[in-house]
Amino acid sequence: MNFIKVILFASLGFHGFCVAGCKYEESSCYLTNLGLLEQQEKMISGDEYSHLMLNGKEIFKTKSAYMVLNDDNMGYFKNKQYVTIKLIISFVSFEPCLHNEYYGYCNKNIIADFSDKKPVFSNIFISDSGNSVINWVSWGKKNAIIVFEDGSRFKYENGRVERLKKDQ
């Protein structure tokens, strides 16, 4: 029984450690190379936007209810904490998009890169179907390959995302 108490106490202590410095819920915070990244959903912000804050300062906003910070990110461990360097952010904008002759609400994606002195945000990229989710990401030192469930593929390099042809 004491073992269960120790596990319970340790998990509660770890949870408190994870959210230290985060104003919102634990899942909305990431430690990055440049500091603490926090997501502020529309419901919390009180305006029509969801925001990304780095060390308390807004660095990105979009007209959507919330953003999803993809767990398949690039980073490293430092002092037993995971530090994120690059991460994919997905959101559905309140504004419909025209994509591949489809007019509707698309799942939009960007890459946030924290590897330099300032955060860099890529251009927006959308899967071929407009609403597919990311199947896997291969992060490399020079570039990254992003593959969606619908088979669409993208390459990220130097702050820019481009669609790959089907045979690449």
Side-chain angles (χ1 to χ4, degrees):
M1 188 64 158
N2 283 339
F3 180 71
I4 293 173
K5 288 180 184 177
V6 169
I7 297 296
L8 181 61
F9 180 76
S11 66
L12 290 174
F14 180 71
H15 182 280
F17 176 75
C18 288
V19 295
C22 183
K23 295 178 188 170
Y24 310 106
E25 59 191 70
E26 174 186 354
S27 63
S28 67
C29 294
Y30 281 75
L31 181 60
T32 73
N33 231 17
L34 302 175
L36 186 65
L37 177 70
E38 298 176 78
Q39 176 190 350
Q40 188 181 58
E41 297 176 355
K42 174 189 173 275
M43 186 173 72
I44 294 170
S45 72
D47 58 16
E48 291 297 311
Y49 295 88
S50 290
H51 304 263
L52 286 180
M53 315 292 273
L54 183 63
N55 300 323
K57 294 183 181 179
E58 181 182 270
I59 57 171
F60 181 80
K61 71 179 183 179
T62 182
K63 216 171 200 180
S64 65
Y66 61 91
M67 292 178 263
V68 175
L69 309 181
N70 192 310
D71 286 335
D72 193 2
N73 57 51
M74 180 181 182
Y76 60 91
F77 281 95
K78 180 179 180 180
N79 298 329
K80 298 183 181 180
Q81 286 189 306
Y82 189 75
V83 178
T84 300
I85 298 174
K86 295 176 185 162
L87 115 108
I88 300 173
I89 301 164
S90 301
F91 57 92
V92 176
S93 175
F94 289 144
E95 299 164 350
C97 63
L98 177 61
H99 180 69
N100 291 346
E101 299 179 14
Y102 166 76
Y103 184 75
Y105 295 94
C106 299
N107 186 27
K108 299 178 180 182
N109 306 275
I110 60 168
I111 295 181
D113 189 336
F114 301 97
S115 61
D116 209 352
K117 294 179 184 183
K118 290 173 61 176
V120 173
F121 291 94
S122 74
N123 51 304
I124 291 174
F125 58 104
I126 302 169
S127 69
D128 290 343
S129 68
N131 288 312
S132 186
V133 295
I134 295 171
N135 194 21
W136 59 268
V137 180
S138 175
W139 294 105
K141 288 190 184 240
K142 186 178 175 188
N143 59 37
I145 303 296
I146 302 109
V147 178
F148 286 81
E149 286 183 344
D150 67 4
S152 52
R153 298 166 48 97
F154 296 84
K155 178 180 174 182
Y156 170 77
E157 189 170 10
N158 297 326
R160 183 107 183 109
V161 176
E162 63 183 42
R163 183 179 306 277
L164 295 175
K165 295 176 184 172
K166 295 284 184 189
D167 58 347
Q168 287 182 300

